[in-house]
Each structure stands twice: as structure tokens, then as C-alpha cells.
């Protein structure tokens, strides 16, 4: 009897997850002075692991309603942060990988939200380099980072990088997006050669967040 109850419980929970995993999660709009600090860890074969803190802030809102995103370029001896504007974000953008500088090609995310159990394609171009990624949201997950404990939407991507039209490496990326933090609580990028040898693994974790 207990075995039958356990099996039935597993089926019910699975049905509940399937039912609830197709909903659209509402996303918050960015606001001036929203601020995030990430700890980045870089692991490359044959090199010592390296770490770096990266701080971002919404500096202000333009008349066009776009947001200006900046990053902390330097900190003076007195502790003053010097901000360097890096890009303009449209008001329709509520999903962002700040470190990777991409919205995952979900440009209208403020209105549409983030739908669990969906998939889409993304392209990121920088000069002659093109990254093409197939994304899928795989469900919700609780993540513990230095900034706190967050309910997140887990997004997985498989991609390839080409240079001048020639495929040079493959990679995978995993995001844990925390709607309450308006940011990725954690992200992992794993780059490999075409024969599968590791090139570099980059992990970013949210250290602190100050949002409205």
C-alpha cells in the first residue's frame, strides 16, 4: 500500500510541475540606481583559477525611456565608485545577462515575461565572431548565492561560435534567473574545442543586489 501511495504521489507531483511549469513568470522593470555585484570565476586548463568582482548599475533613465547601464570602472582610495556607461537598454527589456551583455534575444520580456517550458534561438555578434545558441527553460529551482536564496528560472543553452564563417568552438551556458533580483543569480559558460577538449569555464554568481 505504501509503495502504491508513493508512486501515486510521484505522479501527482509530476502532473503539478507539468501544469505549473508552462506559466509565464512576470518580470520587473529596471529602475535608476538598481545595482548588482557579481563574482566571476574563470577556470582554464594549465592556468591558475582567477576571480574578479564586477559591479553594474542602472545609472539613469533617458527621455526616450531607455535605461543607461554602467559598470564600476574603478574604486578610489576613499571608496568612491567611478561608473563607466556601457550601453542603453530599451524599456521593453526586463531579462538581462549583465556580464555577458545579452538579453538572450527576448527583447520584449517586460510585457511577455519569461515562459517556463519554452525554447528559442539567439544570436550574439561581436565583430567577426558570431555565437548561435538554442535556449530552453527547464523549470524552476531554488539557488543559494552570497546575495541570498532565490527562486529562479533555469535556462539552458547549447551553442556554437564561428569566426569569419568558420566554426571554431562549441559551448554550453546555464542561467539561473532570479525575477526578484532582476538578474541572473548564477550563470555558467563552458567553452570547448570541436573535439570536446575544455577551453575555459566561466562562472558568475550574484554577490549583492540593491533594487527598487
Amino acid at each position: 500500500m505504501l509503495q502504491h501511495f508513493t508512486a501515486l504521489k510521484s505522479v501527482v507531483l509530476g502532473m503539478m510541475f507539468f501544469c505549473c511549469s508552462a506559466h509565464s513568470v512576470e518580470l520587473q522593470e529596471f529602475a535608476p540606481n538598481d545595482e548588482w555585484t557579481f563574482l566571476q570565476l574563470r577556470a582554464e586548463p594549465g592556468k591558475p583559477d582567477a576571480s574578479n568582482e564586477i559591479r553594474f548599475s542602472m545609472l539613469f533613465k533617458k527621455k526616450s525611456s531607455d535605461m543607461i547601464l554602467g559598470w564600476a570602472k574603478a574604486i578610489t582610495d576613499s571608496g568612491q565608485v567611478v561608473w563607466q556607461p556601457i550601453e542603453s537598454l530599451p524599456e521593453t527589456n526586463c531579462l538581462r545577462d549583465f556580464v555577458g551583455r545579452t538579453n538572450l534575444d527576448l527583447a520584449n520580456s517586460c510585457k511577455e515575461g519569461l515562459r517556463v517550458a519554452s525554447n528559442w534561438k539567439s544570436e550574439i555578434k561581436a565583430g567577426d565572431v558570431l555565437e548561435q545558441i538554442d535556449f530552453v527553460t527547464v523549470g524552476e529551482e531554488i539557488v543559494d548565492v552570497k546575495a541570498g536564496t532565490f527562486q529562479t528560472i533555469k535556462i539552458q543553452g547549447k551553442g556554437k561560435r564561428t569566426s569569419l564563417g568558420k566554426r571554431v568552438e562549441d559551448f554550453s551556458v546555464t542561467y539561473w534567473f532570479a525575477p526578484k533580483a532582476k538578474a541572473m543569480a548564477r550563470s555558467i559558460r563552458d567553452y570547448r574545442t570541436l573535439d570536446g577538449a575544455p577551453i575555459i569555464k566561466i562562472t558568475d554568481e550574484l554577490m549583492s543586489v540593491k533594487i527598487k
Side-chain angles (χ1 to χ4, degrees), residues 138-150:
V138 295
E140 300 183 39
E141 189 172 310
I142 296 176
V143 170
D144 291 312
V145 292
K146 191 171 182 179
T149 300
F150 297 95

Side-chain angles (χ1 to χ4, degrees), residues 186-204:
R186 178 183 293 137
S187 65
I188 300 176
R189 291 181 177 270
D190 188 8
Y191 289 89
R192 296 178 176 268
T193 64
L194 297 182
D195 59 4
I199 298 174
I200 185 172
K201 184 176 182 179
I202 304 173
T203 302
D204 297 300

